[in-house]
């Protein structure tokens, strides 16, 4: 079994800003695994918030043994970007060797399209209103917030897109006081979900706080081991392949979260169509699908995901799985 890892860079259509900073390109790692004449591939996005770099994740992948199974991989690498790319490449490889699609191998129903959120990056209220107006035809907008002065931004987005559903991602940028101040206005402005309002290390403050709309754990939820710490704080968990360390753990996390009464959001890092492909399988029937990475890029893989009025479609076999 031959494993190779290469860096790739995809330019963004416009600068993208969250509460932690801005970027103009998506830097990813592409993993290819060759065995018995077939090649499977996967993509990951090393994330500085989790102390990951292109170099550190590459080192994790190149340090793997010469041969291992997807099941053995779960113990060889921790949850995170490195395991994600390798795990998804192994799923793709298994599908190609078996002549089947990944959802068949996983025992999942044939997937269909899912409406996806479209993300507006953090900016001035005026610019965010312009972004909202440009995308007012979309059924679901996700807006990046996370400052102490977000109310004008939220009002501006609603004015720009009066008919779209809105979800908010604060990226750990609010304090308990800021969230408590904003919370009463969320229902009035048609917000249907708030993602990670407080820093992961300070989210005990959510216990006992009023939640007029569902609150979703993102940075506070990585894999199944995260679930016990979420009780009483969150209503929804955001499952991302780069956090769970691949589709294998993500499917198990979804099952466990649903069994414990959480609803599920399926999200993504800033990646190409290859990164979104396995996540569409995970997103079937989710409360919220947020797989808009390719829509924010100015360049993509040769074979791309399909987006239309029905949402994001399952990947073609030429792309993945």
């Amino acid at each position: 079994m031959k494993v190779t890892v290469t860096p790739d860079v995809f330019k963004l259509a416009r600068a993208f800003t969250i509460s932690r900073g801005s970027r103009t390109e998506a830097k990813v790692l592409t993993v290819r695994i060759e065995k018995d004449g077939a090649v499977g591939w996967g993509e990951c996005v090393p994330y500085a918030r989790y102390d990951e770099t292109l170099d550190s994740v590459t080192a994790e992948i190149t340090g793997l043994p010469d041969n291992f199974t997807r099941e053995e991989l779960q113990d060889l690498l921790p949850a995170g970007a490195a395991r994600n790319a390798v795990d998804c490449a192994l799923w793709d490889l298994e599908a190609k060797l078996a002549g089947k699609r990944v959802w068949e191998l996983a025992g999942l129903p044939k997937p269909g399209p899912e409406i996806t959120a479209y993300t507006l990056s953090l900016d001035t209220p005026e610019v965010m209103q312009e972004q909202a107006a440009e995308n007012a035809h979309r059924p679901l907008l996700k807006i990046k917030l996370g400052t102490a002065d977000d109310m004008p931004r939220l009002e501006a987005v609603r004015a720009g897109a009066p008919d779209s559903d809105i979800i908010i991602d604060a990226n750990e940028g609010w304090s308990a006081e800021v969230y408590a101040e904003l919370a009463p206005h969320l229902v009035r402005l048609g917000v249907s979900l708030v993602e990670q309002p407080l820093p992961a290390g300070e989210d005990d403050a959510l216990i006992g706080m009023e939640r007029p709309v569902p609150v979703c754990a993102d940075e506070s939820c990585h894999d199944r081991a995260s679930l016990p710490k979420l009780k009483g704080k969150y209503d929804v968990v955001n499952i991302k392949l780069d956090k769970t360390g691949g589709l294998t753990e993500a499917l198990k996390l979804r099952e466990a979260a649903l069994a414990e009464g959480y609803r599920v959001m399926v999200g993504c890092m800033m990646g190409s169509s290859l990164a979104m492909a396995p996540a569409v399988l995970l997103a079937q029937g989710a409360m919220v699908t947020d797989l808009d990475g390719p829509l924010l890029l100015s360049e993509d893989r040769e074979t791309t995901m399909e987006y239309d009025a029905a949402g994001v479609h399952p990947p073609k076999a030429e792309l993945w799985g």
Side-chain angles (χ1 to χ4, degrees), residues 50-86:
Y50 306 132
D51 300 318
E52 296 174 333
T53 66
L54 292 170
D55 289 342
S56 71
V57 172
T58 297
E60 286 185 272
I61 296 168
T62 56
L64 287 166
D66 291 338
N67 285 286
F68 53 89
T69 65
R70 183 166 49 79
E71 291 72 24
E72 291 168 341
L73 173 67
Q74 309 309 309
D75 296 321
L76 290 171
L77 290 176
R83 196 176 75 190
N84 174 35
V86 179

Side-chain angles (χ1 to χ4, degrees), residues 94-118:
E94 291 170 33
K96 287 172 177 172
L97 290 173
K100 296 183 177 181
R101 301 306 304 268
V102 164
W103 56 80
E104 296 177 277
L105 298 180
L108 301 172
K110 184 177 180 180
E114 290 284 335
I115 292 294
T116 181
Y118 180 85

Side-chain angles (χ1 to χ4, degrees), residues 123-188:
D123 212 312
T124 64
E126 294 76 18
V127 172
M128 293 188 76
Q129 182 167 345
E130 291 174 7
Q131 288 186 64
E134 290 171 9
N135 293 281
H137 62 285
R138 300 184 188 275
L140 178 61
L141 296 179
K142 172 175 171 174
I143 60 175
K144 292 288 190 176
L145 298 178
T147 77
D149 190 29
D150 279 338
M151 195 65 206
R153 293 183 173 92
L154 181 54
E155 296 272 13
V157 169
R158 175 46 78 206
D163 298 323
S164 300
D165 287 337
I166 292 175
I167 58 177
I168 291 172
D169 186 1
N171 281 117
E172 305 180 278
W174 291 341
S175 64
E177 292 74 21
V178 169
Y179 169 66
E181 183 178 331
L182 286 175
H185 300 283
L186 301 179
V187 174
R188 173 178 65 84

Side-chain angles (χ1 to χ4, degrees), residues 9-13 25-26 271-273 293-294 296-301 304:
V9 178
F10 298 94
K11 293 180 181 178
L12 304 188
E25 55 190 15
S272 78
S273 283
L296 306 176
L297 303 178
S298 63
E299 53 190 6
D300 199 355
R301 302 284 179 178
T304 61

Side-chain angles (χ1 to χ4, degrees), residues 77-287:
L77 290 176
R83 196 176 75 190
N84 174 35
V86 179
D87 182 81
C88 290
L90 286 171
W91 274 109
D92 188 38
L93 179 66
E94 291 170 33
K96 287 172 177 172
L97 290 173
K100 296 183 177 181
R101 301 306 304 268
V102 164
W103 56 80
E104 296 177 277
L105 298 180
L108 301 172
K110 184 177 180 180
E114 290 284 335
I115 292 294
T116 181
Y118 180 85
T119 306
L120 309 181
S121 75
L122 181 66
D123 212 312
T124 64
E126 294 76 18
V127 172
M128 293 188 76
Q129 182 167 345
E130 291 174 7
Q131 288 186 64
E134 290 171 9
N135 293 281
H137 62 285
R138 300 184 188 275
L140 178 61
L141 296 179
K142 172 175 171 174
I143 60 175
K144 292 288 190 176
L145 298 178
T147 77
D149 190 29
D150 279 338
M151 195 65 206
R153 293 183 173 92
L154 181 54
E155 296 272 13
V157 169
R158 175 46 78 206
D163 298 323
S164 300
D165 287 337
I166 292 175
I167 58 177
I168 291 172
D169 186 1
N171 281 117
E172 305 180 278
W174 291 341
S175 64
E177 292 74 21
V178 169
Y179 169 66
E181 183 178 331
L182 286 175
H185 300 283
L186 301 179
V187 174
R188 173 178 65 84
L189 291 168
V191 174
S192 56
L193 182 79
V194 176
E195 205 179 332
Q196 198 68 41
L198 308 185
E202 301 173 17
D203 61 358
D204 281 354
L206 290 170
I207 297 174
M209 289 187 70
E210 185 176 354
R211 299 198 292 271
V213 301
V215 176
C216 178
D218 183 1
E219 286 86 350
S220 290
C221 182
H222 289 248
D223 55 11
R224 284 173 292 169
S226 305
L227 289 176
K229 301 175 185 177
L230 306 182
K231 290 183 179 178
K233 307 175 191 178
Y234 298 99
D235 310 289
V236 187
V237 296
N238 187 349
I239 305 177
K240 294 178 180 175
L241 298 179
D242 276 311
K243 293 189 301 177
T244 64
L247 182 62
T248 300
E249 173 63 20
L251 291 169
K252 294 176 181 178
L253 172 57
R254 182 180 70 173
E255 182 180 10
L258 291 171
E260 292 193 21
Y262 296 100
R263 284 173 283 180
V264 165
M265 174 179 182
V266 174
C268 65
M269 305 301 188
M270 187 69 75
S272 78
S273 283
L274 179 58
M276 306 303 123
V280 175
L281 277 60
L282 185 68
Q284 298 298 298
M287 175 189 177

